[in-house]
Amino acid sequence: MSSTSNTAQPYPAPAVMGPESIMSKKAHGTSATPVQQNLRWNVDRDVADRICNFNRHYAEYSGYFKAVPEFMNETHDTPADKEITFYDSNTGKPLFYAPRGRTMDQFIRESRNHGWPSFRDEEVEWENVRLLMNGETVSVDGTHLGHNLPDGKGSRYCINLVCVAGNPTM
């Protein structure tokens, strides 16, 4: 290895690291805009705005996603050969796709075990998601999403449903 190489990435590829400056103060907390008006799955907009834009450490309560019938119904109704796209609640950019490389049942089971929707590397849209040095998982536009809590299978992104309940804008 060359002596001019960068400091080792704390999380293995394909994770894309981002600078702390992504989360600098903007017009609306850490984002340029508030969350969208009509979030998917009828999630609580006030909770979403607080967690996505005015927070760096806290999360929706553990198991929140299980108490959102519209979301649980969509997971049950999604055909085995299809996936759900999860969009930034502020910008509408795609952030995660599930399930990829596993079944919907495996995705939901792992999410239930950990309390939050839990995504793996192949389910992340790295064009729009960044990982900070401390494991905080954010959008390139400054939306707080959750945290990377690696386990024996690799990186596991525990993400707040309210932060990925946006509607597509593209």
Side-chain angles (χ1 to χ4, degrees):
M1 180 178 266
S2 166
S3 62
T4 61
S5 67
N6 292 335
T7 303
Q9 181 166 316
Y11 301 98
V16 178
M17 302 304 295
E20 180 65 29
S21 61
I22 290 173
M23 299 304 283
S24 64
K25 185 164 177 36
K26 298 177 187 72
H28 192 78
T30 58
S31 180
T33 61
V35 296
Q36 297 173 346
Q37 287 295 323
N38 297 305
L39 295 172
R40 292 165 68 201
W41 308 302
N42 202 30
V43 300
D44 187 300
R45 186 174 185 273
D46 291 335
V47 170
D49 200 47
R50 186 174 65 250
I51 291 174
C52 296
N53 299 314
F54 297 96
N55 162 63
R56 299 288 306 278
H57 305 288
Y58 300 103
E60 64 201 15
Y61 65 84
S62 177
Y64 173 84
F65 76 95
K66 297 185 294 186
V68 179
E70 294 88 344
F71 173 68
M72 295 307 296
N73 289 342
E74 185 170 344
T75 66
H76 291 139
D77 295 343
T78 300
D81 62 339
K82 301 291 182 196
E83 60 191 21
I84 298 173
T85 302
F86 296 80
Y87 298 93
D88 188 316
S89 290
N90 289 315
T91 67
K93 291 180 180 177
L95 301 173
F96 300 94
Y97 311 94
R100 283 195 177 168
R102 58 183 170 167
T103 66
M104 184 64 79
D105 184 59
Q106 291 167 324
F107 168 71
I108 292 298
R109 190 173 333 121
E110 180 171 53
S111 298
R112 280 189 175 133
N113 288 344
H114 298 288
W116 288 268
S118 296
F119 300 92
R120 295 296 177 164
D121 281 325
E122 61 269 24
E123 295 170 320
V124 181
E125 177 54 74
W126 289 112
E127 180 177 326
N128 300 322
V129 176
R130 294 294 181 267
L131 195 55
L132 303 185
M133 291 294 284
N134 66 356
E136 184 179 4
T137 306
V138 301
S139 79
V140 295
D141 297 295
T143 306
H144 170 82
L145 303 174
H147 289 86
N148 180 18
L149 303 172
D151 61 13
K153 296 178 185 175
S155 289
R156 178 172 45 85
Y157 306 93
C158 293
I159 303 299
N160 295 291
L161 184 66
V162 297
C163 299
V164 293
N167 291 289
T169 55
M170 298 179 187

